[in-house]
Amino acid sequence: MGERGDYGREFVLDGPMLARVAAEKRTVALDVGCGEGRFCRLLQMAGVATVGVDPTEALIRRARHRDPGGDYRIGRAEALELPDRSFDLVVSYLALIDIADVASAIAEMVRVLRPGGTLLIANLTSFNTASVGDGWTRDANGDQRFCIDHYLTERARWTEWRGIRIVNWHRPLSFYLSLLLAQGLTLRYFDEPAPSGGDPERVARYARVPFFLIMEWEKPPA
Ligand SMILES: C[S@@+](CC[C@H](N)C(=O)[O-])C[C@H]1O[C@@H](n2cnc3c(N)ncnc32)[C@H](O)[C@@H]1O
């Protein structure tokens, strides 16, 4: 990821995610599934202290290497070794699709949030994760179409990203929303952000099909 991230992060998600962070005063944030810690460092630049948690040791090693003063811990979202009500912002940046027991993970994210705090989520949309293969196919006229199937069926699938094999989960949007609502959270913001620049071919591709969503959920004030 480096410091700029890939196209989707740099030109689609970072801008609106950071705008949400700036919309309110935040003191201390937890990034669950922080990877190399890139978004932790962006949060720090915005004046927010951070803790990053990720189970992948190589990524945590890289995060510590890039940010020796930072707080990066090996851990799983499903069992956060952190006290209740200790963060005013919890971030999940393209991590829910990677987590097997997402119900426990969301419950844990809410547990460590202070009352009135915010859970800020960027995820692949469920319309995207339901794709057949990479989604792109040609119709009878030879035009490119994006194809999805078995939308309502939760499933894991192996995928490869820049030579790294990973398991990603498809779940319908209602699956995530039900879990978040069951935690008593209130949806304060929702967006399917459009690309803001970069290679025009990429802009057209990312604007053509459902790609990312951003949601901001508030934990009820005490
Ligand atoms: C697509 S990456 C996103 C990483 C980072 N947030 C970013 O935007 O670059 C998904 C991350 O989720 C992490 N992950 C996988 N299973 C997890 C779990 N059970 N709990 C927390 N993080 C997990 C992976 O190690 C990986 O770093």
Side-chain angles (χ1 to χ4, degrees), residues 99-127:
I99 297 174
D101 182 0
V102 79
S104 300
I106 287 174
E108 279 290 88
M109 292 177 197
V110 175
R111 177 182 66 75
V112 300
L113 257 187
R114 288 183 191 143
T118 300
L119 173 56
L120 179 60
I121 295 170
N123 208 23
L124 274 174
T125 73
S126 300
F127 310 116

Side-chain angles (χ1 to χ4, degrees), residues 25-98:
K25 175 94 189 96
R26 327 273 187 184
T27 314
V28 57
L30 172 68
D31 185 351
V32 182
C34 66
E36 299 164 48
R38 195 186 64 89
F39 200 67
C40 282
R41 294 190 287 284
L42 291 178
L43 286 168
Q44 289 167 31
M45 281 186 237
V48 183
T50 61
V51 176
V53 170
D54 200 287
T56 307
E57 291 186 26
L59 294 176
I60 289 292
R61 258 201 315 277
R62 179 59 67 100
R64 289 173 179 155
H65 176 74
R66 286 185 173 271
D67 177 16
D71 186 343
Y72 300 99
R73 306 181 191 187
I74 293 167
R76 306 191 74 81
E78 299 89 328
L80 294 170
E81 291 178 12
L82 292 160
D84 296 357
R85 304 169 171 222
S86 42
F87 296 91
D88 48 26
L89 175 66
V90 173
V91 175
S92 168
Y93 195 132
L94 295 183
L96 291 183
I97 40 163
D98 283 58

Side-chain angles (χ1 to χ4, degrees), residues 196-216:
S196 63
D199 170 22
E201 258 182 47
R202 273 261 173 76
V203 174
R205 204 173 172 82
Y206 274 68
R208 198 169 161 199
V209 302
F211 235 99
F212 298 117
L213 58 75
I214 294 177
M215 299 186 280
E216 188 179 297

Side-chain angles (χ1 to χ4, degrees), residues 140-205:
N141 297 322
D143 294 325
Q144 275 206 314
R145 302 287 175 211
F146 191 81
C147 181
I148 72 173
D149 206 352
H150 303 292
Y151 176 75
L152 286 178
T153 309
E154 183 191 9
R155 58 190 179 273
R157 71 170 178 199
W158 281 99
T159 178
E160 193 166 318
W161 189 87
R162 295 190 182 177
I164 303 169
R165 276 177 51 78
I166 46 174
V167 175
N168 268 182
W169 287 84
H170 163 70
R171 299 150 178 135
L173 184 57
S174 55
F175 185 103
Y176 291 110
L177 297 189
S178 306
L179 293 174
L180 292 155
L181 290 168
Q183 290 293 325
L185 303 179
T186 304
L187 183 63
R188 292 291 181 210
Y189 179 85
F190 183 90
D191 193 13
E192 293 172 296
S196 63
D199 170 22
E201 258 182 47
R202 273 261 173 76
V203 174
R205 204 173 172 82

